[in-house]
Amino acid sequence: MIRVTLLKNAGEISPADAFEIKAEVSLDDNAGKVPGRLMIFDSKYVPTGNSKYNKGYMFFLVSAGKNIFRPGAAFGFGKNSTQAFGRNIQLIPGRKYQLSMVFNASGKVSFYVDQKLNHQVSVPAGKIVPSAISPVFGDRAGANYQP
């Protein structure tokens, strides 16, 4: 399980242009056993591969081993979507971490852990198309889409 608290002044949750999203995250002992993504924020539903969901964005963690996670994000530009990933980090269960992702709309995405740069990645420049679905903090209850 992942607990997410959106931090004060974390920015808009449905921006089209440059933005930053910050979250305080605490993992329980089972977090590393969950396959796939641990969702922090989702207004996209499907990261890539389905044109119906080439809108919105998501911010998540991917399990990469015992207490090892990789921050990631996916962005919908209308005609296509893309993903970006940070570097692996160790997250100790029960400890609070501040995770943030900065999308600059000019071709860069930066991931931060406790306000320290984790990794910066190149992505296509452009604005994110507004989502057609309701945004959710954490996992979507009952979601079962399998791309």
Side-chain angles (χ1 to χ4, degrees):
M1 182 173 120
I2 185 170
R3 290 182 186 87
V4 177
T5 304
L6 189 65
L7 298 175
K8 185 176 180 181
N9 299 323
E12 293 183 52
I13 61 172
S14 297
D17 214 342
F19 68 93
E20 177 179 21
I21 184 167
K22 297 179 186 178
E24 185 177 88
V25 174
S26 176
L27 305 175
D28 70 12
D29 291 331
N30 294 318
K33 299 173 186 172
V34 176
R37 294 170 177 82
L38 295 174
M39 204 59 63
I40 296 170
F41 177 84
D42 179 16
S43 70
K44 194 164 178 6
Y45 192 52
V46 178
T48 59
N50 185 324
S51 61
K52 179 179 175 182
Y53 299 106
N54 283 339
K55 304 170 185 173
Y57 71 99
M58 57 176 51
F59 180 32
F60 52 84
L61 292 171
V62 177
S63 179
K66 184 174 181 177
N67 299 333
I68 305 294
F69 297 87
R70 183 169 52 152
F75 308 94
F77 297 103
K79 291 186 179 183
N80 60 21
S81 291
T82 193
Q83 294 186 85
F85 295 94
R87 293 198 171 108
N88 286 351
I89 52 175
Q90 181 176 22
L91 299 178
I92 299 166
R95 181 175 163 209
K96 291 180 181 179
Y97 296 90
Q98 185 182 102
L99 303 180
S100 60
M101 182 266 300
V102 178
F103 173 82
N104 76 359
S106 299
K108 296 287 181 195
V109 173
S110 302
F111 296 97
Y112 292 86
V113 178
D114 291 334
Q115 301 178 359
K116 294 177 187 165
L117 181 65
N118 167 270
H119 195 53
Q120 187 174 70
V121 185
S122 294
V123 297
K127 294 185 176 188
I128 295 171
V129 173
S131 180
I133 60 174
S134 298
V136 173
F137 294 94
D139 287 326
R140 285 185 189 278
N144 62 3
Y145 182 84
Q146 297 295 320

